[in-house]
Each structure stands twice: as C-alpha cells, then as structure tokens.
Amino acid sequence: MAAGTGVQLFARKEALSRIETALEKSPPLLERAFISCEGESKVSDGKTSEFRVMQWNVLADALSTSSLTENFIKCPPKALQWSRRKLRSLEEVLTYDPDIIAVEEVDHFEDYYSPSLKELGYEGLFAAKRDSPCLKFPDNSGPDGCALFYDRDRFSLVNHKDVALKDPNGASTSQVALIANLFDKIQGRTLCCAVTHLKSKEGYEDLRRSQGNELLKSVSECLTDDQSVLVLGDFNAEATEPVCQLMEENQYMCMRNAYVTATGSNAEFTTWKIRPGKEVKHSIDYVWHTQNLSVTGCLKIPESDCIPDVRLPCLQYPSDHVSLVFDFCWG
C-alpha cells in the first residue's frame, strides 16, 4: 500500500521474505480479513488519494519478560523473547505496508525500530515517557514511549512537537503525546498526526479525560485552515469512557472512531490477555479521524476463535494488543 519507490517496495518484500524464512518453524501470524468500504472515492484528479495508517501498542520488551513480570502468566516464554518478538513485529508492519505507523510502548526505538524501518524507506520520531516503568527493570533498553514513522517517498515532515500531558491540576504526568504535521507529496496537502498512550488502570477516568482534552488542544494549536487530523493511540479506555466521548464532542474538533466508520460498530477487542486471577478482553486502542478524511479500507480484528487459549501475546502474535490498520482518502 505504501507509496514507496520500486526499490523500496522490493526491499520491503525481500525483508518480509527473510523474516518469514527465519520464522518458518513458527505458526503464521493471526489470520485477519481486510475489507473495503464501498462508495468512497479512491482517486482524486488522477492522483492516488489513499494512504494507509497503522496504530499499534507493540508491547515494551522490558514489560513482557516473564522472569521479571507476572503480566502474561500463560504465555509461552518463547513467545516473549525479544529475539522473536522483534521479527514478528516487523513482519506485522511489512505484511500491511502502511504509509504511516503510530506505535506505543516502544523501548527499542534507537537500536531496532528506527534503523530497521529507515532501511525500508521510513523516517521516525520518538517521544519518551517522562517516568517510564521500563527503567525499573535491570538490563532495560531505556524508557518506552510513543513513535511515529512515515514513508519518506509519500510524506515529508513539516514540523513536530512533544507534549507532556498533565493532570487536572496542571501537574505533569508520565504520559506523553507526539504531534507531527506531514506533507503529502502526491496530494499536496498537510496531515496532522498525533500519537499518544494515556494513563492505564481503573480509577483514572478523569485523568484520561483531562489528558485527552489537553492533547486535542495541543493538536488544534498545530493546525492551519481546515486541516485533516488523525489521533492514534492506546487510550486505555473503553468506548463508553468520558475521554472517548470527548474525542467526538469537544470545542476543538469533532473526531470519528475509524473502526466504527468502517464497520458500523466498535472493535470487539483490541487487547486480550490473562492476568493473575482474571482475563482481560476489551477495546481500548483507537484511530480517530476528522470528517474531511474518508475511511476506504479496514483490517478487521481477528475472530475470537482464532485467538489461542493462552491469549496474547502468543507464538502467532508478538503483542498483547492487535494492530489497527485503515486506508484513508482525502475528502
């Protein structure tokens, strides 16, 4: 899907082939269907209008190691090894070939994601969490944070900024957002992309709403004219939470949930894992878009019966969150 040169597209196919060969003794990635949203225009003035976006919490290496945490009590230890998970993660990206990639819980930006994707035609930005939980583990790879990658043949960076999200009293929190204006070289238009990872756990609903409001305010300050906007991330909030309602009804801009736009309903789940004493299955990851962007394609969430009994992560999938992938068309 990405609008890379023939050389870059060949390099990506070659890289994907090498990864699949390295993982040939492992079960294949989770099977997922990609659907087209009929009735949407895909060509404007003879130019390619579509671009593909991926949103994904990739699961920080330091937070997945079974010997240090009890987060994934039934997951096979082999499935948590970074040596395997890093290949699986890149395999997921290359399988769907997005133009823009928004990822959270990235703690191998400098030593893996950035150099690996740069070789394949992507440029990347990174915003580290102010107080990353990864830093408390020995032999960590640094703080985790949010990253944004873009295909450099399709987009160029206009400007960007990091935002330290605050609580309702104005105090800084560990959570951050990364906002970038990207110029579409094919369409000659500028897209504003924001990626974030809001506070987790029950009892922090008001904080997540405050963080969401601050994010939207920061995005609005980056815009010019009737600019198209994407807000992507792990919101740690189900669709009924105030922060999600805020995304659709706020003073800065009205956003739409891309999965609802594409399918008519929210995703059944975006994360599914087994914790000590409970099983967690809910939808907390989102791609929000302004109404001047049309959704023309959507990667559906895997069918529940495709998820193994150990849930996520597993040998078939490297993260406890599934990726969200959409094709968008300029309005």
Side-chain angles (χ1 to χ4, degrees):
M1 178 65 199
T5 64
V7 173
Q8 287 181 355
L9 293 177
F10 178 78
R12 292 174 191 176
K13 290 180 180 179
E14 286 287 295
L16 180 58
S17 178
R18 289 195 300 270
I19 291 171
E20 291 173 342
T21 298
L23 296 171
E24 62 184 358
K25 295 183 179 180
S26 300
L29 279 171
L30 291 176
E31 184 176 348
R32 304 174 67 177
F34 199 92
I35 61 172
S36 294
C37 304
E38 298 180 357
E40 301 288 2
S41 173
K42 298 184 180 182
V43 178
S44 175
D45 297 327
K47 299 178 181 180
T48 302
S49 179
E50 274 189 327
F51 58 91
R52 178 167 292 179
V53 174
M54 172 180 280
Q55 147 59 32
W56 194 18
N57 180 324
V58 294
L59 178 59
D61 179 25
L63 302 183
S64 69
T65 308
S66 59
S67 62
L68 297 177
T69 72
E70 296 182 348
N71 284 337
F72 308 107
I73 57 176
K74 290 192 176 182
C75 180
K78 187 177 181 180
L80 294 173
Q81 295 172 353
W82 173 240
S83 59
R84 290 176 53 85
R85 289 185 56 243
K86 68 180 184 179
L87 294 179
R88 278 294 200 202
S89 296
L90 192 55
E91 181 185 25
E92 175 81 350
V93 170
L94 294 177
T95 294
Y96 300 108
D97 197 22
D99 298 288
I100 296 171
I101 310 162
V103 280
E104 303 83 49
E105 283 197 26
V106 176
D107 62 347
H108 280 280
F109 179 81
E110 294 291 347
D111 66 337
Y112 183 68
Y113 286 106
S114 182
S116 297
L117 289 170
K118 189 177 183 66
E119 287 185 359
L120 300 173
Y122 293 95
E123 295 294 335
L125 304 165
F126 179 70
K129 284 183 181 176
R130 301 302 189 262
D131 185 22
S132 168
C134 294
L135 296 176
K136 69 181 180 181
F137 296 115
D139 302 321
N140 66 75
S141 301
D144 74 302
C146 299
L148 184 71
F149 296 91
Y150 56 92
D151 184 296
R152 58 175 173 257
D153 281 344
R154 178 66 187 259
F155 292 97
S156 61
L157 180 66
V158 178
N159 52 50
H160 77 282
K161 71 174 181 179
D162 300 346
V163 178
L165 299 176
K166 299 177 182 179
D167 66 19
N169 297 319
S172 293
T173 66
S174 177
Q175 286 69 46
V176 297
L178 175 61
I179 305 172
N181 278 315
L182 302 176
F183 179 72
D184 185 340
K185 298 178 183 180
I186 293 178
Q187 287 293 308
R189 304 175 69 170
T190 301
L191 174 72
C192 183
C193 291
V195 53
T196 193
H197 188 182
L198 302 186
K199 176 66 178 175
S200 65
K201 297 184 173 57
E202 295 180 3
Y204 289 97
E205 293 80 6
D206 289 343
L207 175 56
R208 284 191 284 272
R209 187 188 188 284
S210 177
Q211 291 178 333
N213 188 66
E214 185 176 3
L215 172 59
L216 290 172
K217 180 176 183 294
S218 296
V219 169
S220 70
E221 293 169 351
C222 295
L223 303 182
T224 58
D225 303 322
D226 186 27
Q227 195 169 330
S228 299
V229 179
L230 291 174
V231 177
L232 316 99
D234 177 355
F235 276 58
N236 277 305
E238 300 203 38
T240 54
E241 253 200 48
V243 66
C244 293
Q245 298 172 12
L246 173 72
M247 296 301 295
E248 298 180 340
E249 302 173 4
N250 65 85
Q251 61 180 313
Y252 304 110
M253 68 202 82
C254 294
M255 310 289 289
R256 292 179 176 177
N257 180 337
Y259 204 86
V260 174
T261 302
T263 68
S265 62
N266 199 37
E268 180 185 356
F269 66 93
T270 60
T271 182
W272 192 356
K273 52 207 147 195
I274 298 177
R275 299 292 201 207
K278 63 180 180 179
E279 188 165 339
V280 179
K281 178 186 181 184
H282 53 181
S283 184
I284 57 175
D285 304 88
Y286 300 93
V287 173
W288 303 96
H289 66 99
T290 47
Q291 297 182 32
N292 51 11
L293 288 173
S294 299
V295 180
T296 61
C298 171
L299 181 64
K300 295 192 70 176
I301 297 300
E303 297 293 334
S304 292
D305 57 8
C306 293
I307 306 297
D309 292 342
V310 300
R311 305 314 183 202
L312 303 175
C314 59
L315 292 173
Q316 295 95 322
Y317 207 75
S319 176
D320 55 330
H321 293 245
V322 296
S323 66
L324 298 175
V325 180
F326 298 95
D327 287 344
F328 284 99
C329 178
W330 293 100

